[in-house]
Structures are given as structure tokens and as C-alpha cells.
Amino acid sequence: MILPVILSGGSGSRLWPVSREHYPKQFLNLHKEDVSLLQEAALRINGIAHSGEPLIVCNEEHRFLVAEQMHQVGFNDSKIILEPCGRNTAPALALAALTASMVNPDAELLVMPADHVIKDTQAFAHAVEQGQRLSQEGKLVTFGITPSSPHTGYGYIKKGQALAQGYSVSAFIEKPDASAAEQYLNSGDYFWNSGIFLFKASSFLAALGQYAPDILQSCQAAFDARTEDMDFLRIDETSFAQCRSESIDYAVMEHTEQAAVVPMSPGWSDIGAWDALHELRSANDKENGNAIHGDVMLHEARNSLVYSESRLVAAVGVDNLVIVETDDAVLVADRRQAQDTKLIVNALKAAGRKEFQSHQQVYRPWGHYRTMVLTDSFQVKEIVVNPGGKLSLQMHHHRAEHWVVVQGTARVTQGEGHGDTDNLRSFLLSEDQSTYIPLGTVHRLENPGVIPLKLIEVQTGSYLGEDDIVRYNDKYGRE
């Protein structure tokens, strides 16, 4: 039995402004219009024989996004491991292997990043089948992509001795310069490093204990102190924070003699930056080499990516550009420097600006909200509550709120005075009805209906920050 492990810990900063820390690229529909990259990774396992529901490793901030997106594509029993802090792939996989070992120490783990594209799922399934024959012998299998160009944005794997299936690994090589990449392509001895692996949980833990025993020790301690909450496996923060950050390549694969590589050509892309998305989508425009998304108009444009989320974007006479529009930011870049988008994100972070971290539309376990107007003394939001969704019973010290229902039915719970929780009353509001929540009044909003509840919220007060909240209870376990 194969246990798919999906690593969903990245922030996708090179795809800013569409990908941001609170809603990164794995949750976006960048390849297909109807599913996110994370959902594509999960659905990919349907073509793998004898595979179970995926085990997903993500950070605490994204836990409800992961659970909701898995439910949307029919995976209702997936276990989700919550990393209290990012420590790279070796510790993440240690947690996954320890989890799998509770049921079967020799479970075969098929490790996949959550944010990659694989077009040919049959070719991928065939490569996995070949890899199984090696992993069952105790090999630590990685999958190498047969290179189609001298790409300098990927790491490379040099093949060694031929095995019954695939090759032993001669070397792992960091991203090369253009000259070295050209040599690698011409030699035929190198593959792109896909970051996809297959091995027994017991084989990986044994190798980790041999080559990085401190990582295994920290992860074991953090795992032993775990707690379970709904779909989530919460790892102990104190123990895990002491673990050093390291990739699986550096921690294990570069040292072990059991590393093997299976070549494949499944139409793979890591969508690491905007130029990769252009390459993926521009195949539809043979004449001009453009890739577009959203409401876009072009004239005499060549070899460009134009991506619109909220309004019309027009481009005239441009060549080799990346133009990306969201409702609060616009990126314009030379496509050859698309990797440097991360430098803008770093600058935003250093300046204390929120655009590196969150969108105007912010997701919560009950639904989402979008800021429409924000001033020093008032704020206007559109709030959408999913059917059955319920906000926490809460109170604000510095703001009052006025709610107007525009779609669906709202159940409002409200206290009688400042901080009152003893005399709560509930009532329903339908479309075009409204209510007022005075400053300091305990309240809750929920959707008892079967369609999304939409309302307009007007906040007034001296401080409108999201941290002005006192929660009395919350169905999602938030404090």
C-alpha cells in the first residue's frame, strides 16, 4: 500500500502578488480553472494503484484551507500534520514517516510537493510503479525529470550505475550556471531534481538516524508530545523549534548509498516563478507566444504573460514582459528576471507592509471576508459565511459593527450590554435586514442556511485591527 505524502509548506513568494504568505500558490488554480495545485496533487494519486488517502504536512496558518480543499475533491479522511514552524523537508518527512509507522513501519511513502504540475498522470503512475520495485528493496527513490532545455532554475541529479529500474545516484547538484546546464543537457547523464520521492518509512527513518540523528531526535520528541484535534495532528512546538532546518537532499540523499533515481517525462513543472507559468500556458498561442488570464486585451504583444484578477488589463507593443494585476497590487517585470520577484516581497516585508502577507480577500474556516474601504475611523467589508459556518462568540474593545444582509439568512447571537454573556439572545436576519453591534457587546454570526450568507459590515471606532478580538468560544478551536 502506498501512502501519498503531500508537502504543503511553501509560500510561493516568486509568484507575488497572486501568491502570498497567507494564501500561497498551492491553494490557487494556476494550472486548471477548477482545482488548485494542492487539489491536483491529491487527485493525481487516483491513478496510482493501491494508494490510500493522502497525509498532508502544512503549517498551522493553513490548516483550515488544506482541510476545506481536500473535502472539496472528496478526500474526507486525510490526516493533516501541523508544523508549528517551518524546518524544511527533512523534518517534515520525519514527521510523516513517524505518523505512518504507527500503522505500518514499512509503509511506502510517495512524497509530492503540493505546488507542482504533472500533465501526464499515466506517465507519472508508470514511473511510480518502477520506483516501487526499488523502494521495496530498501532504496530511497527520487524521480528525475528528463531535461528538455538547459534550465538554470532547477537542481540536477547525475545518474550513476544502471539498476533493474532506473539508476543509482552519482551526485546531487545545485542550480547551475548556463554553461554547466548546457553541458548537463548534452551529456544525457543528468536529470532535473523534481523533489518527488518514494521510500519505506522504515528506510527513511533509518537513514535519517544514521546521517542526521539530531533531526530524528528532535522530531521524535516533538511527535511524542503531539496532540490531536479534529483532522489535525498538532506537533509540539517547543521540541520542534529546536530542530535544525534542513532539506532531505542535504540531510540524507547526498550521503546515503541507497539513493536511486527513476527518470520520467510526465510534463512536469514546479511553477517556481512567473516565467514558468508563462512557459506552461504560452503553448496555446503558437503565433505570438503570449499567456493570458482574466480580462486581458493585447495588441502587437509578444512572448508575454498578462494576468488579471479584478479588472481589464490592456498591453500594446510589449515583448517579454510579466504583467500581473490583483485588486491591491500590480507587478510589471522583464520575464527574464521573473525570479527576482522575491526581492520585492523581501522589500515589502522589511518596510512593514501587509501586501507581502495577505490579499484583500482573507480566508477563514467559516468562509472569507474582503476589505472594500479602509480609513482611520471606519472600514467596510464584504463577509461571506459558508453554509453551517459559525464565527466565534466574540467581543471588540475598540469598534462597533453594523451588519446588512444581502444574500441568505443570518443567525445573530448578541448580549444585552458591555461584556454580557449571561443574557445572550439569538434572532434571524434575512436579505435587506440589518442589525447594530455596539462596542463591547458580545456577539456571534452564523449561517443556518444552505446557500452562502453574504453581508456588508461597516466598522466604526478608534482602532480597527484584526487583533481587537476577545473570543469566548470557537467551534474551530481558535484562541
Side-chain angles (χ1 to χ4, degrees):
M1 173 70 75
I2 285 181
L3 176 61
V5 176
I6 301 177
L7 302 181
S8 182
S11 61
S13 57
R14 290 183 177 87
L15 287 171
W16 184 87
V18 171
S19 174
R20 305 193 191 185
E21 191 173 287
H22 286 171
Y23 204 80
K25 66 173 180 174
Q26 60 264 34
F27 302 115
L28 302 173
N29 300 7
L30 290 176
H31 177 224
K32 297 181 178 180
E33 296 295 332
D34 56 341
V35 290
S36 70
L37 296 178
L38 170 64
Q39 290 170 325
E40 276 194 67
L43 292 170
R44 192 175 301 137
I45 68 178
N46 289 336
I48 307 295
H50 309 297
S51 60
E53 288 221 4
L55 176 65
I56 302 164
V57 185
C58 71
N59 66 42
E60 179 87 11
E61 182 72 28
H62 298 153
R63 64 194 187 279
F64 294 113
L65 285 171
V66 169
E68 177 62 22
Q69 290 208 351
M70 288 299 94
H71 292 161
Q72 288 173 358
V73 291
F75 293 100
N76 298 313
D77 298 316
S78 299
K79 182 65 69 176
I80 301 170
I81 301 174
L82 303 182
E83 287 185 297
C85 52
R87 287 295 181 264
N88 216 316
T89 53
L93 288 177
L95 297 176
L98 291 168
T99 302
S101 295
M102 291 193 301
V103 178
N104 179 9
D106 287 330
E108 289 184 272
L109 308 184
L110 175 60
V111 180
M112 301 180 291
D115 54 2
H116 290 188
V117 166
I118 290 179
K119 294 181 180 179
D120 188 344
T121 54
Q122 287 187 334
F124 177 65
H126 178 66
V128 171
E129 183 179 350
Q130 290 181 304
Q132 273 191 278
R133 300 172 189 175
L134 296 172
S135 68
Q136 289 168 359
E137 297 173 359
K139 296 291 186 183
L140 304 179
V141 179
T142 185
F143 295 89
I145 307 300
T146 303
S148 57
S149 65
H151 208 294
T152 58
Y154 302 140
Y156 282 71
I157 301 169
K158 184 179 182 181
K159 69 182 183 183
Q161 181 181 355
L163 304 174
Q165 306 289 334
Y167 304 88
S168 63
V169 173
S170 175
F172 288 87
I173 300 167
E174 286 295 313
K175 298 174 182 178
D177 59 26
S179 176
E182 190 72 46
Q183 292 176 19
Y184 297 164
L185 178 66
N186 293 335
S187 75
D189 293 331
Y190 295 81
F191 306 106
W192 291 335
N193 189 344
S194 70
I196 303 172
F197 301 91
L198 179 66
F199 40 65
K200 290 180 183 178
S202 57
S203 300
F204 174 70
L205 291 175
L208 188 65
Q210 180 178 357
Y211 300 111
D214 60 311
I215 292 179
L216 179 58
Q217 183 178 0
S218 296
C219 290
Q220 184 73 66
F223 184 77
D224 289 344
R226 69 192 181 277
T227 59
E228 294 199 40
D229 173 20
M230 297 188 290
D231 296 331
F232 310 122
L233 195 68
R234 295 180 179 273
I235 303 304
D236 180 65
E237 182 174 4
T238 302
S239 301
F240 195 68
Q242 296 173 5
C243 183
R244 65 182 165 100
S245 178
E246 196 67 275
S247 71
I248 181 178
D249 288 351
Y250 283 138
V252 173
M253 299 299 288
E254 291 186 355
H255 306 289
T256 180
E257 295 181 357
Q258 298 302 315
V261 58
V262 173
M264 63 178 183
S265 300
W268 170 89
S269 172
D270 70 344
I271 316 188
W274 287 113
D275 57 335
L277 188 63
H278 172 269
E279 183 178 347
L280 192 67
R281 291 188 170 213
S282 60
N284 298 325
D285 184 357
K286 303 291 186 183
E287 182 177 354
N288 297 309
N290 294 314
I292 63 172
H293 171 85
D295 192 4
V296 171
M297 295 187 70
L298 302 179
H299 177 72
E300 296 295 331
R302 301 283 187 275
N303 307 310
S304 294
L305 170 71
V306 185
Y307 192 105
S308 168
E309 283 200 339
S310 67
R311 72 200 77 192
L312 170 66
V313 175
V316 178
V318 301
D319 187 15
N320 221 45
L321 285 187
V322 169
I323 303 171
V324 182
E325 178 274 338
T326 67
D327 57 3
D328 66 341
V330 176
L331 170 71
V332 180
D334 186 313
R335 191 162 60 84
R336 292 162 295 191
Q337 294 182 263
Q339 297 277 343
D340 291 339
T341 301
K342 186 176 183 177
L343 301 179
I344 296 294
V345 175
N346 293 341
L348 290 169
K349 188 181 298 186
R353 298 189 58 144
K354 66 178 181 63
E355 290 92 345
F356 83 92
Q357 190 173 53
S358 60
H359 297 82
Q360 292 288 85
Q361 184 161 298
V362 177
Y363 289 84
R364 293 288 186 259
W366 43 261
H368 63 266
Y369 69 83
R370 179 173 62 90
T371 300
M372 303 169 68
V373 179
L374 176 61
T375 72
D376 291 338
S377 59
F378 74 91
Q379 179 172 204
V380 181
K381 291 181 177 179
E382 177 191 44
I383 296 177
V384 179
V385 184
N386 298 327
K390 179 188 294 187
L391 281 68
S392 58
L393 185 67
Q394 59 187 252
M395 183 263 285
H396 310 296
H397 287 296
H398 302 288
R399 71 172 184 258
E401 297 172 341
H402 193 119
W403 295 339
V404 181
V405 176
V406 296
Q407 176 184 292
T409 300
R411 177 180 287 122
V412 179
T413 300
Q414 187 172 340
E416 291 187 357
H418 194 287
D420 171 47
T421 59
D422 296 325
N423 301 288
L424 298 175
R425 65 185 182 93
S426 295
F427 54 93
L428 297 178
L429 294 177
S430 57
E431 293 174 8
D432 297 326
Q433 293 184 321
S434 64
T435 191
Y436 175 67
I437 310 294
L439 181 151
T441 299
V442 176
H443 60 281
R444 187 204 301 273
L445 174 67
E446 58 185 296
N447 180 2
V450 296
I451 65 172
L453 163 66
K454 295 183 181 181
L455 56 85
I456 302 300
E457 175 182 85
V458 179
Q459 301 177 358
T460 56
S462 59
Y463 178 72
L464 304 174
E466 288 299 315
D467 55 348
D468 176 22
I469 184 170
V470 177
R471 287 195 174 98
Y472 294 90
N473 63 63
D474 181 67
K475 70 177 286 188
Y476 309 105
R478 298 171 298 168
E479 296 180 356

